[in-house]
């Protein structure tokens, strides 16, 4: 209790005033009585009246002194209570100023920061402010309780009563007016302190929640941006090691393509990371959080770096693939040397080669050497027997393509090396070139003086396209290429029959009529391309198929040896193949005879 309540204070004040008034009113009488007491006592002598009078006068003096002391004590107590009320008012005013100051400090911290460092500072300041409020809370509550207890006994001023200044300074005011003015000031200051205190606590609580939510969101965003920055930096470091495509060795192009493709796969998830970062940034807008210039700049840079990196990887991969296509091992670039001026080798959109004659300004599908070869075959048209005529044409073609140097087993191994197991699969021109290059590279090592790899590859490709892709679609079936190359390769005739049979045979090493038809159809295309198919039953191979299966008593499936036995009979559609082998063997045969025209002896080859 800071002092007397107002009612008691007022009673004591009035009581003290009454006592003081009585003292002042009787002061002259007391002084007169006190000044004449000696005379009065002496006048009575030693009588009992004198003793009684003396006793009464002494009692009066004592009571007078007690009354004056009591009045002085009451006055001192009243003055002390008024001083405590003034101190209470001063304490309320001090608290109000402190609360206003903290409110201003809080306002200066707003709005919510746009990056993690700023938010951490705001969080630290908010924590410190909460700590200060907690320390002051006891003083505020205690002071407000004291003010409440003091004001509980104060009279409520009516609406018509005049309002005075918070701390009246006018000396003319009565003590009652001064007391009421003080009470009014305390009541008003108490209300303001209570209101500002509750508002400050609410503001700090709301601000703390806002800062913590924003900090959580921005920390997630910053963490995602830092992770993205790390991944981009690693990818950019890899990109920095790239050499210009033009400086790379041709043999290393595929390795660089693989590495660049791996990098593309590695950075593909970064698109999702960028999307996540942008979405996290967009979620800040409804919370009235404005990214700082630093964070906003970092976000923009991450978006830009990711786009630049992706474009750079795609561009480099495209350049590498184009270089590999144009200059790599499977490209057709090395085949440009297969022709000489005024001819130029060009490639159509579907990778099929064609040839430009700059002198005549014409183009054609056939290689110039292939055209010369076909023209030379016209010299053989005077050979009477069609089987020999066809075989001699194919033999000349075989030697021009250097396929007479290719062993059956080598061809078969090359097919396996290139994983050409699915005979129905379509090969593109680059695939055919890749396989032919492997074949002729091997032949060049054994017959360096006979094999010109670019010329042989281009000529053989030209022939395969003429036989099996007359429309120049740029696609040849695996089976077609195998039968074409195996038919013109060297080796024992019956072994060749078995190889050809194996290309159409099923898993049980047997074939039915459909499979045999497929084999004969592919084989008959070779004489057909030379214009000699009519002599071998035309393109209709059904009679040959019936003949074969009649030979084995019309069984459902044919075995390899049964096919060989039938081929020994030299069926009409395939007779050109054994004749080709006889023509090849006759080229080295020596006849002990003399030519009637040139007189050469012995005669080598056909007589």
């Amino acid at each position: 209790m800071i002092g007397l309540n107002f009612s008691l204070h007022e009673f004591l004040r009035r009581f003290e005033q009454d006592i003081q008034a009585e003292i002042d009113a009787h002061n002259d009488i007391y002084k007169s009585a006190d000044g004449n007491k000696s005379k009065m006592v002496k006048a009575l002598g030693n009588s009992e009246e004198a003793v009684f009078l003396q006793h009464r006068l002494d009692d009066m003096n004592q009571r007078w002194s007690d009354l004056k002391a009591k009045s002085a004590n009451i006055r001192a107590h009243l003055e002390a209570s008024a001083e405590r009320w003034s101190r209470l008012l001063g304490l309320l005013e001090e608290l109000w100023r402190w609360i206003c100051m903290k409110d201003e400090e809080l306002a200066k911290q707003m709005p919510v920061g746009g990056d993690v460092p700023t938010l951490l500072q705001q969080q630290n300041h908010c924590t410190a402010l909460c700590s200060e409020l907690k320390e002051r809370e006891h003083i505020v509550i205690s002071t407000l309780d004291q003010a409440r207890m003091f004001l509980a006994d104060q009279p409520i001023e009516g609406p018509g009563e005049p309002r005075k200044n918070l701390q009246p300074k006018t000396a003319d005011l009565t003590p009652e007016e001064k007391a009421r003015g003080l009470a009014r000031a305390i009541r008003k200051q108490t209300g303001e302190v209570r209101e500002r205190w509750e508002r400050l606590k609410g503001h700090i609580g709301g601000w703390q929640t806002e800062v913590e939510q924003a900090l959580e969101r921005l920390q997630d965003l910053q963490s995602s941006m830092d992770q993205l920055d790390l991944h981009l930096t690693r990818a950019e470091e890899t990109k920095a090691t790239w050499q210009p495509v033009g400086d790379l060795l041709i043999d290393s192009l595929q390795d660089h393509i693989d590495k660049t493709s791996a990098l593309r796969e590695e950075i593909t998830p970064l698109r999702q990371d960028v999307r996540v970062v942008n979405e996290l940034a967009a979620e800040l807008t409804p919370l009235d959080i404005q990214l700082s210039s630093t964070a906003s700049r970092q976000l923009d840079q991450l978006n830009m770096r990711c786009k630049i990196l992706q474009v750079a990887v795609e561009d480099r991969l495209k350049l590498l693939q184009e270089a590999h296509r144009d200059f790599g091992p499977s490209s057709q670039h090395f085949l440009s040397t297969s022709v000489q001026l005024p001819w130029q080798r060009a490639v159509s959109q579907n990778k099929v080669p064609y040839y430009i004659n700059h002198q005549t300004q014409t183009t054609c599908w056939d290689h110039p050497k292939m055209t010369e070869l076909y023209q030379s075959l016209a010299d053989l048209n005077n050979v009477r027997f069609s089987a020999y005529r066809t075989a001699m044409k194919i033999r000349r073609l075989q030697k021009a393509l250097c396929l007479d140097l290719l062993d059956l087993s080598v061809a078969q191994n090359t097919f396996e090396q290139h994983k050409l197991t699915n005979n129905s699969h379509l090969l593109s021109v680059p695939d055919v070139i890749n396989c032919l290059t492997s074949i002729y590279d091997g032949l060049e090592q054994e017959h360096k003086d006979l094999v010109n790899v670019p010329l042989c590859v281009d000529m053989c490709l030209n022939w395969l396209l003429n036989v099996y892709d007359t429309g120049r679609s740029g696609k040849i079936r695996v089976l077609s290429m195998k039968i074409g190359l195996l038919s013109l390769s060297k080796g024992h005739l019956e072994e060749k029959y078995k190889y050809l049979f194996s290309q159409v045979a099923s898993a049980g090493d047997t074939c039915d009529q459909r499979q045999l038809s497929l084999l004969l159809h592919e084989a008959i295309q070779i004489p057909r391309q030379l214009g000699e198919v009519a002599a071998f039953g035309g393109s209709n191979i059904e009679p040959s198929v019936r003949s074969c299966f009649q030979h084995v008593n019309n069984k459902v499936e044919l075995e390899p040896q049964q096919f060989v036995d039938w081929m020994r009979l030299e069926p009409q559609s395939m007779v050109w193949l054994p004749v080709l082998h006889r023509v090849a063997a006759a080229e080295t045969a020596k006849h002990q005879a003399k030519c009637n025209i040139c007189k050469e002896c012995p005669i080598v080859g056909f007589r």
Side-chain angles (χ1 to χ4, degrees), residues 527-577:
R528 183 196 63 76
Q529 193 270 329
L530 295 173
E532 298 287 351
V533 71
F536 306 101
S539 298
N540 183 15
I541 43 81
E542 290 303 321
S544 295
V545 175
R546 284 197 304 272
S547 168
C548 181
F549 277 85
Q550 286 172 359
H551 181 71
V552 294
N553 300 321
N554 293 318
K555 289 183 178 179
V556 176
E557 293 184 331
L558 191 68
E559 295 180 356
Q561 189 57 46
Q562 293 172 331
F563 174 73
V564 172
D565 292 342
W566 177 69
M567 287 293 290
R568 285 175 182 162
L569 300 177
E570 298 187 1
Q572 182 185 12
S573 62
M574 293 294 292
V575 67
W576 56 271
L577 185 55

Side-chain angles (χ1 to χ4, degrees), residues 236-409:
E236 288 166 346
E237 288 173 353
T238 302
K239 174 178 171 289
T241 63
W242 288 348
Q243 292 177 271
V245 174
D247 295 344
L248 299 176
L249 297 175
I250 292 177
D251 292 341
S252 69
L253 286 174
Q254 186 59 52
D255 182 50
H256 285 283
I257 289 174
D258 294 340
K259 289 180 179 179
T260 307
S261 298
L263 180 60
R264 180 172 65 176
E265 293 299 318
E266 182 181 332
I267 68 172
T268 296
L270 296 185
R271 297 179 182 175
Q272 178 62 25
D273 294 341
V274 170
R275 190 178 299 111
V276 169
V277 165
N278 289 329
E279 288 174 355
L280 288 173
E283 290 174 1
L284 299 177
T285 303
L287 300 177
D288 291 331
I289 300 173
Q290 185 69 35
L291 278 179
S292 68
S293 58
T294 302
S296 181
R297 185 164 54 251
Q298 184 182 8
L299 181 62
D300 292 341
Q301 288 175 348
L302 289 173
N303 277 280
M304 184 60 66
R305 286 168 61 192
C306 188
K307 289 180 182 177
I308 291 174
L309 182 62
Q310 288 171 352
V311 170
V313 169
E314 292 298 331
D315 288 349
R316 180 170 179 83
L317 189 58
K318 182 179 178 182
L319 290 173
L320 287 169
Q321 289 170 339
E322 289 176 351
H324 189 266
R325 180 196 65 204
D326 296 338
F327 305 102
S330 61
S331 71
Q332 301 185 41
H333 178 70
F334 76 103
L335 298 177
S336 60
T337 59
S338 71
V339 295
Q340 305 296 327
L341 291 175
W343 289 95
Q344 177 190 346
R345 187 182 190 276
V347 180
S348 63
Q349 192 171 3
N350 61 357
K351 311 303 179 186
V352 174
Y354 64 96
Y355 304 91
I356 305 171
N357 188 329
H358 290 287
Q359 188 173 358
T360 61
Q361 296 185 349
T362 57
T363 61
C364 60
W365 289 119
D366 284 329
H367 191 285
K369 295 289 185 184
M370 183 64 74
T371 302
E372 293 177 7
L373 177 62
Y374 286 148
Q375 291 172 351
S376 71
L377 295 180
D379 299 342
L380 299 172
N381 287 335
N382 58 2
V383 176
R384 179 178 301 179
F385 298 107
S386 59
Y388 278 91
R389 183 174 64 249
T390 302
M392 293 176 71
K393 288 182 178 180
I394 294 174
R395 177 61 177 170
R396 188 173 293 181
L397 180 68
Q398 181 189 36
K399 293 175 73 174
L401 301 181
C402 294
L403 291 177
D404 59 322
L405 306 175
L406 177 63
D407 287 323
L408 281 170
S409 58

